[in-house]
Amino acid sequence: MSGHSTYEPKNGVSRWLDQRLPITRLVWDSFVDYPTPRNLNYWWTFGGILSLMLGVQIVSGIVLAMHYTPSASGAFASVEHIMRDVNYGWLIRYTHANGASMFFMAVYIHMLRGLYYGSFKPPREVLWLLGCVIYLLMMATAFMGYVLPWGQMSFHGAVVITNIIGAIPVIGGPILTWLQGGFAVDNATLNRFFSLHYLLPFMIAGVVVLHVWALHVVGQNNPTGVDPKSKADTLPFTPYATVKDGFAMSVFLILFAVFVFYMPNALGHADNYIEANPLVTPAHIVPEWYFLPFYAILRAVPDKVMGVVAMFGAIGVLFALPWLDTSKVRSMRYRPMAKLYFIILLVVCVTLGFCGAKLPDDQVIPGLETFKVMDSDLNSFVWLSRLATLYYFAYFLIITPLLGLIETPKPTPETIASPALSHPATTPAGAAADAEKKG
Amino acid sequence: MADSAVHTTEAGDDPSRRDFIHIAAIAAAGGAVAAIAWPLVSQMNPSADTLALASVEYDLTKIEPGQQVTINWRGKPLFIRYRTQAQIDEAVKDDSAQLKDPESDAQRHKPGKAQWLILVGSCTHLGCVPTVGGGEYGGWFCPCHGSVYDTSGRIRKGPAPKNLVVPDYAFLSDTKVKIG
Amino acid sequence: MLRKLTVIAAAALTLAAGPALAASHAEEPHDIAYSFEGPFGKYDQAQLQRGYKVYREVCSACHSMKYLSFRNLGDKGGPFYDAKYPNPNDNPYVKALAADIQVPDIDTETGDAITRPATPADRFPHPYPNDFAARAGNGGALPPDLSVIAKGREGGPEYLASYLTGYVTPPKGLTVPAGQYYNAYFPGDLSSGWQTDRAEDKKDPPPHGGFVAMPPQLADDKVSFDDGTKSTAHQQAVDVAAFLMWAAEPKMEQRKETGFAVMIYLVLFAGLLYASYRRVWRNESH
């Protein structure tokens, strides 16, 4: 895709700059003239939405850091100071707190879109891996950010998650002490989490640059999964993709604003408005919603070490996915069997999230008497999460590799434009695209 | 950005109407960015608790004639000087002198309270704290760049452009003053 | 396209609903029709004033509100806001309320610990010098700070009001430990005090509610309301819970007002972008 550049400096100054630092050429080639498959649907707008959210989080976060005090004695009070006394502090903090949820919502849609349309398949493996790295960094950033208000959930969340490190045999204990900077989560832990919470978003931004670079080398996938073959298959990024992305962003912002202005605490926990107290654990400790599926996987396994392995394995399989999928067809649009299993995966992920929010021993179907299997009743959330966990791993490790070998995909179109051309209200696509080029 | 789209259509469409929608969309985006910028700028202004602590009260009975106390007001030093009659006379005498920032001594204290001179203790040059009683006018001397103030706190020599600032204050009683 | 957006919104709501469904073993709080509910809801100033009086005369004997200052009472949307005094530090009513309360200070002459009348800039004073004293004065239980309690409890002000009037007679078979009280709305664990004599009742789950260390505080006519509202225990509970909600979320009115303008702007903006999008794409299939 990174073919011949069409950038032509329009005046002396831009020509002078172009010969010394071709940055306008880079922007032109990447975001203006860049050929975009003409059939991208709204699921493709989430890449742009994610860049917007990264910007929102970095800007609001830098501003919050001007007022926040990273100390065990002052953190909670400084957050209240932001909420009460700082000009527009409430707006900035609610934006940042809900922004994290919005960011994760968008990233999950973005990842599922990649899964469904086979955007991880050759030649986009590196693109997918970089995306997985971004997701890992996001999780680390979000976790450490949640610790900063130093409420009860912040504190005990930090205790539980750092203790995961303690599951590593032999060296786990010393590493845990090193990570916490003491023998418990305390001032030192909070202070280093603040430092890292400030650092990691810039690392994310760096990997995002690589992610976009990799994207522009291999080109965008599209709903058919068929590579663009001629100019008829693509449109210039600007204005076609920019205006579509812009519209999707504005709709996304409406949803974001509903949370910030009308239900700012709906995604949080009441317990986090109680200042951290190391001596009392909240009755029901749960992570933020975007970690709930992983939390359910952690609790599904009765063994501490294996639970941690399973939790990290759930992300690990995503890294291996490009080499697990054996199908020759990219898009599930032409893979009815795969589509079915994908929908089950979707339900399973939501189920896992639901299980993560529940107490493990609570009944799934209230009042239904069943029998005990292993350590728990079959009609309990711990068993539901076990079954869901099994499917999650089976999808990636068994179903995906097998399906590519046994399924019969539907015929795929020759080119992107061929199904699009059957659209009644179209002029010949080649002519229209050529007209675009002159503009 | 949008103008490349504008030139692409067949004849017959009214170009001004076509432009309008794109221009309106871009203008609305610009307006949104400006609206978002305001809270981000405003948050750097003093917060409500900072503003609430901006006034202090001080009991003047603690000060001896000829003495000066320095108290903290809005994070800056505040000079409260109990001037002797000789110092007041000297200041009044110089009302007619060549002054860089002309002001009479009477303008710099409350009526009938000539003995009490209350000043923000930061040099009008670059903000250092002048030492009391220094310099040839018996007022203040700034050690940083050598500005000299007289017993009314007026600039007499050196790089500072203005007299020492008189803050807003009021006498609550003969012995109690509220600053800010 | 719209269908897909609906799907996104539905997915978001499903995910949002998840954590809120935590298992609870207390009575559901009463549904109270508060004026500040809904997207245009505002605090009822008279109610906040009554609530402040309940806090001041009853709660503040044991509970601190350390993130509130007297000046907050005169903030926009606050109980004693007066449009004549945009700066709450100048509000004479707030000054008078503050001056009623003694706050600890240090005499700058002698260094002695003294008390003096509060100014609007002062924080609400702590009823106890430290947490140990607070525990010692309350049978070992620490009265929680009330600054953000309305956001720090599941159910918010409705829970608080229900809780304050939730001291009902314990069900038969429940042994209430000494120094504790049964409250039907408190999410606690009653298994320790639950004993039934009959064998077939053994399987019964313990009743709803929990044991709390705070004795019932509100009673009819305990606080006299200046505006003539009848001072029932229920009214006191509802009003003080409203006051606590304001204390926890003082910028709520500002938030909703800003939100309304932002929503209108965003909807128009999205409409413009959609029109622009249709125009750009009108000759292209997709």
Side-chain angles (χ1 to χ4, degrees):
Chain A
M1 292 289 148
S2 55
H4 176 65
S5 174
T6 60
Y7 176 67
E8 279 171 31
K10 289 200 177 63
N11 55 46
V13 177
S14 50
R15 201 171 305 118
W16 180 87
L17 181 66
D18 190 51
Q19 283 157 4
R20 285 153 182 85
L21 179 72
I23 187 159
T24 35
R25 178 181 297 273
L26 181 72
V27 170
W28 175 270
D29 293 343
S30 311
F31 300 108
V32 180
D33 191 44
Y34 178 66
T36 313
R38 61 189 306 128
N39 59 338
L40 297 188
N41 56 30
Y42 277 100
W43 300 115
W44 260 265
T45 60
F46 281 87
I49 288 170
L50 283 164
S51 344
L52 173 74
M53 286 314 299
L54 180 61
V56 166
Q57 291 301 85
I58 288 181
V59 170
S60 59
I62 287 173
V63 164
L64 286 174
M66 294 180 187
H67 304 282
Y68 172 75
T69 312
S71 81
S73 56
F76 193 85
S78 72
V79 171
E80 281 305 311
H81 168 68
I82 290 169
M83 293 298 287
R84 291 162 193 277
D85 288 333
V86 173
N87 300 310
Y88 297 99
W90 58 269
L91 173 61
I92 299 162
R93 174 169 173 257
Y94 278 151
T95 301
H96 196 70
N98 286 287
S101 282
M102 292 292 128
F103 203 163
F104 271 95
M105 197 182 91
V107 88
Y108 284 137
I109 294 173
H110 191 66
M111 290 163 76
L112 287 168
R113 188 269 288 155
L115 269 182
Y116 184 82
Y117 292 111
S119 302
F120 53 87
K121 286 165 169 289
R124 296 188 181 84
E125 303 98 315
V126 173
L127 177 61
W128 174 263
L129 290 183
L130 288 167
C132 292
V133 171
I134 293 171
Y135 176 53
L136 269 183
L137 288 172
M138 275 177 68
M139 291 174 88
T141 311
F143 159 64
M144 289 191 270
Y146 192 62
V147 175
L148 302 185
W150 210 238
Q152 275 286 66
M153 278 295 178
S154 300
F155 180 85
H156 293 281
V159 169
V160 169
I161 300 302
T162 52
N163 269 300
I164 284 177
I165 308 294
I168 304 171
V170 190
I171 52 164
I175 292 182
L176 176 61
T177 310
W178 170 79
L179 185 72
Q180 293 179 337
F183 302 105
V185 171
D186 206 341
N187 197 55
T189 325
L190 175 62
N191 230 319
R192 65 192 55 186
F193 277 14
F194 176 60
S195 172
L196 293 172
H197 181 71
Y198 205 113
L199 167 71
L200 287 185
F202 296 98
M203 291 177 65
I204 293 177
V207 185
V208 165
V209 170
L210 297 180
H211 190 66
V212 173
W213 183 11
L215 173 73
H216 286 222
V217 170
V218 296
Q220 276 160 303
N221 186 24
N222 66 78
T224 63
V226 177
D227 288 329
K229 294 197 175 59
S230 68
K231 276 192 169 180
D233 289 342
T234 62
L235 291 168
F237 190 84
T238 299
Y240 291 95
T242 34
V243 72
K244 191 168 182 170
D245 281 0
F247 169 62
M249 277 178 204
S250 65
V251 173
F252 188 80
L253 285 177
I254 292 176
L255 178 67
F256 188 8
V258 167
F259 276 105
V260 169
F261 292 106
Y262 295 107
M263 40 204 293
N265 295 309
L267 298 171
H269 299 282
D271 280 308
N272 225 28
Y273 280 107
I274 303 170
E275 193 169 358
N277 178 359
L279 307 181
V280 184
T281 300
H284 189 197
I285 179 150
V286 282
E288 290 287 84
W289 68 265
Y290 38 83
F291 291 141
L292 286 174
F294 298 102
Y295 191 57
I297 292 175
L298 173 75
R299 293 193 308 189
V301 184
D303 180 76
K304 181 176 176 182
V305 179
M306 288 317 289
V308 173
V309 168
M311 188 174 75
F312 284 107
I315 304 163
V317 289
L318 295 177
F319 280 86
L321 182 61
W323 295 276
L324 289 171
D325 194 333
T326 52
S327 170
K328 296 273 181 294
V329 178
R330 276 203 197 106
S331 172
M332 288 194 194
R333 194 178 262 190
Y334 310 105
R335 303 174 62 197
M337 292 274 280
K339 196 190 273 185
L340 176 70
Y341 289 109
F342 176 81
I343 290 167
I344 299 174
L345 178 74
L346 216 59
V347 174
V348 158
C349 289
V350 174
T351 307
L352 278 172
F354 196 67
C355 293
K358 293 287 191 177
L359 293 172
D361 287 331
D362 275 3
Q363 292 185 319
V364 180
I365 307 159
L368 181 69
E369 293 290 326
T370 55
F371 47 89
K372 252 186 152 64
V373 182
M374 285 161 61
D375 52 347
S376 320
D377 199 276
L378 197 59
N379 180 21
S380 67
F381 280 101
V382 70
W383 265 108
L384 185 61
S385 22
R386 278 171 191 166
L387 297 175
T389 304
L390 275 182
Y391 181 84
Y392 181 90
F393 283 102
Y395 176 84
F396 290 102
L397 299 174
I398 301 166
I399 297 171
T400 302
L402 273 187
L403 216 52
L405 303 174
I406 60 170
E407 74 178 348
T408 323
K410 290 200 276 192
T412 51
E414 275 301 304
T415 64
I416 294 172
S418 49
L421 275 175
S422 62
H423 197 284
T426 348
T427 52
D434 284 348
E436 282 312 316
K437 289 284 175 217
K438 285 172 197 143
Chain B
M1 277 196 291
D3 59 357
S4 59
V6 170
H7 306 294
T8 60
T9 44
E10 62 272 29
D13 231 345
D14 175 14
S16 64
R17 216 173 70 78
R18 269 184 285 123
D19 280 338
F20 171 75
I21 199 82
H22 303 303
I23 291 167
I26 292 167
V33 168
I36 291 162
W38 172 241
L40 297 176
V41 171
S42 172
Q43 54 87 20
M44 301 242 288
N45 277 321
S47 55
D49 56 335
T50 308
L51 294 174
L53 294 169
S55 64
V56 290
E57 287 176 17
Y58 195 78
D59 182 3
L60 298 171
T61 54
K62 298 171 197 167
I63 312 175
E64 298 291 320
Q67 207 191 17
Q68 171 189 295
V69 295
T70 308
I71 59 172
N72 189 331
W73 180 66
R74 295 181 182 174
K76 282 194 232 173
L78 189 85
F79 294 155
I80 304 177
R81 189 164 179 173
Y82 191 168
R83 296 191 293 181
T84 60
Q85 193 55 48
Q87 286 167 332
I88 298 169
D89 291 345
E90 204 174 322
V92 173
K93 181 165 65 71
D94 282 354
D95 281 352
S96 51
Q98 188 73 23
L99 294 171
K100 205 174 190 178
D101 180 11
E103 250 185 317
S104 71
D105 187 58
Q107 284 172 289
R108 298 180 56 78
H109 59 73
K110 296 285 173 198
K113 304 273 186 197
Q115 69 274 36
W116 295 112
L117 191 62
I118 299 183
L119 301 169
V120 176
S122 52
C123 181
T124 56
H125 181 220
L126 292 169
C128 293
V129 182
T131 52
V132 66
E136 57 248 59
Y137 293 93
W140 287 269
F141 173 72
C142 181
C144 290
H145 308 99
S147 293
V148 178
Y149 299 90
D150 65 15
T151 51
S152 191
R154 292 174 295 203
I155 180 66
R156 302 302 291 268
K157 223 177 106 179
K162 294 274 182 192
N163 301 334
L164 288 178
V165 174
V166 180
D168 281 336
Y169 67 96
F171 280 90
L172 300 176
S173 69
D174 271 357
T175 58
K176 201 156 196 191
V177 68
K178 183 185 175 213
I179 302 114
Chain C
M1 185 264 315
L2 266 175
R3 191 175 55 86
K4 284 174 184 168
L5 291 173
T6 323
V7 172
I8 298 170
L13 287 176
T14 317
L15 290 165
L21 298 169
S24 161
H25 300 293
E27 291 286 336
E28 278 295 307
H30 304 298
D31 186 18
I32 298 165
Y34 275 119
S35 62
F36 49 80
E37 289 169 355
F40 302 101
K42 285 178 180 302
Y43 292 116
D44 172 355
Q45 203 179 25
Q47 184 173 48
L48 296 187
Q49 293 182 0
R50 293 194 299 271
Y52 175 68
K53 200 161 186 214
V54 177
Y55 167 73
R56 186 50 67 201
E57 292 182 9
V58 183
C59 318
S60 72
C62 299
H63 289 277
S64 60
M65 281 185 98
K66 59 181 170 181
Y67 299 119
L68 267 85
S69 305
F70 289 99
R71 65 184 162 80
N72 293 133
L73 298 171
D75 279 343
K76 199 163 188 300
F80 300 100
Y81 174 68
D82 187 337
K84 270 192 290 184
Y85 303 99
N87 180 354
N89 300 295
D90 300 333
N91 186 320
Y93 203 80
V94 170
K95 281 182 170 174
L97 283 171
D100 281 347
I101 311 295
Q102 292 286 315
V103 291
D105 203 351
I106 303 288
D107 187 329
T108 49
E109 287 287 289
T110 62
D112 292 339
I114 53 162
T115 60
R116 59 165 174 82
T119 67
D122 283 309
R123 299 279 183 108
F124 285 9
H126 282 256
Y128 295 98
N130 53 55
D131 282 359
F132 301 107
R135 279 184 192 281
N138 290 283
L142 180 69
D145 184 84
L146 297 184
S147 311
V148 276
I149 196 109
K151 286 197 284 184
R153 292 290 180 274
E154 207 67 62
E158 294 183 340
Y159 162 74
L160 295 175
S162 308
Y163 166 83
L164 287 171
T165 51
Y167 293 88
V168 293
T169 321
K172 232 181 132 216
L174 186 71
T175 320
V176 180
Q180 302 231 309
Y181 303 86
Y182 170 68
N183 190 308
Y185 295 91
F186 182 74
D189 187 353
L190 294 176
S191 347
S192 62
W194 183 235
Q195 279 169 344
T196 46
D197 302 330
R198 293 179 304 157
E200 62 265 32
D201 284 351
K202 283 271 198 288
K203 268 169 59 190
D204 278 359
H208 285 165
F211 298 130
V212 294
M214 179 173 84
Q217 295 294 339
L218 303 178
D220 291 353
D221 298 319
K222 185 157 178 178
V223 179
S224 67
F225 289 141
D226 306 330
D227 61 0
T229 307
K230 194 163 163 27
S231 181
T232 60
H234 175 75
Q235 187 66 42
Q236 291 159 19
V238 169
D239 290 348
V240 78
F243 170 75
L244 293 174
M245 187 63 218
W246 165 79
E249 191 73 3
K251 306 286 178 171
M252 187 205 69
E253 289 182 9
Q254 202 186 340
R255 166 160 64 76
K256 288 177 180 173
E257 279 163 17
T258 315
F260 186 61
V262 168
M263 295 311 285
I264 288 178
Y265 197 99
L266 278 178
V267 168
L268 291 177
F269 183 44
L272 269 178
L273 276 171
Y274 186 66
S276 178
Y277 158 66
R278 290 303 296 250
R279 208 151 252 293
V280 167
W281 279 79
R282 73 195 172 291
N283 291 322
E284 299 298 340
S285 63
H286 54 279

